[in-house]
Amino acid sequence: MRAVLLAGVFALVVVAYQKNFQHVIDKAAAKGTVADPAGLLSRDDRAWVLAQAADLRRRFGLELAVRLGGNPAPPRPDDPKTVFLAYDPACRESRVVLPPLVASALPAGFADDLGREHLDAACRDGRGREGTLAALGLLIDTLDQAAGRGKGETQ
């Protein structure tokens, strides 16, 4: 009987350790550039997002935080360097949060439209992956256009 109880306690300890370890891993992943608990992105998609993040950092000095599912914590409202893209698997509360200076250089309501009209709409159509990649691509293209206007280039 003691052996069975000891084995049961040991099994509970192993399960608790695994759950805690997974929680720590999830928490650490949520602090990186891409956190994908929803499992939307392939390895190639993730590599593309990371390349876009490196390009945003190099060209504009901006950090990119992409959260696909889970409970994403948005950046601080006064964070002047983080572009935050959060995909909601329930298709209701996806959002894009831009630093104030970046938001002022883009069309009014642009970030809200990306969240609502691109991410949530794609989610409802069952195309969350495509919507996420398209929203990020559209954001980068719009930033490029704003930078061109700022330099006096015509398009």
Side-chain angles (χ1 to χ4, degrees):
M1 190 64 161
R2 286 183 183 170
V4 172
L5 288 175
L6 183 60
V9 168
F10 182 73
L12 286 174
V13 168
V14 168
V15 169
Y17 178 78
Q18 287 178 336
K19 285 189 182 260
N20 182 54
F21 187 70
Q22 186 61 44
H23 175 71
V24 169
I25 288 174
D26 291 343
K27 203 171 176 183
K31 292 182 180 178
T33 299
V34 180
D36 187 12
L40 290 178
L41 301 179
S42 68
R43 180 176 294 171
D44 291 338
D45 295 337
R46 184 180 291 270
W48 182 81
V49 170
L50 292 174
Q52 298 308 309
D55 192 46
L56 280 174
R57 189 176 305 113
R58 181 183 55 78
R59 291 176 53 216
F60 301 108
L62 297 172
E63 296 298 322
L64 178 64
V66 178
R67 305 294 180 255
L68 307 172
N71 292 322
R76 296 182 324 271
D78 60 344
D79 188 344
K81 292 186 177 185
T82 301
V83 173
F84 180 76
L85 185 144
Y87 171 83
D88 174 27
C91 308
R92 285 182 255 141
E93 295 183 20
S94 297
R95 65 188 183 277
V96 175
V97 179
L98 302 173
L101 187 59
V102 173
S104 68
L106 300 178
F110 179 74
D112 290 335
D113 285 346
L114 275 181
R116 195 175 45 256
E117 301 299 327
H118 290 283
L119 292 172
D120 283 344
C123 177
R124 285 189 292 274
D125 291 341
R127 299 177 314 109
R129 174 190 163 272
E130 294 86 352
T132 300
L133 298 176
L136 183 55
L138 182 58
L139 173 63
I140 291 169
D141 288 346
T142 305
L143 282 171
D144 285 340
Q145 291 171 2
R149 284 191 310 271
K151 292 179 181 177
E153 298 173 6
T154 57
Q155 299 191 358

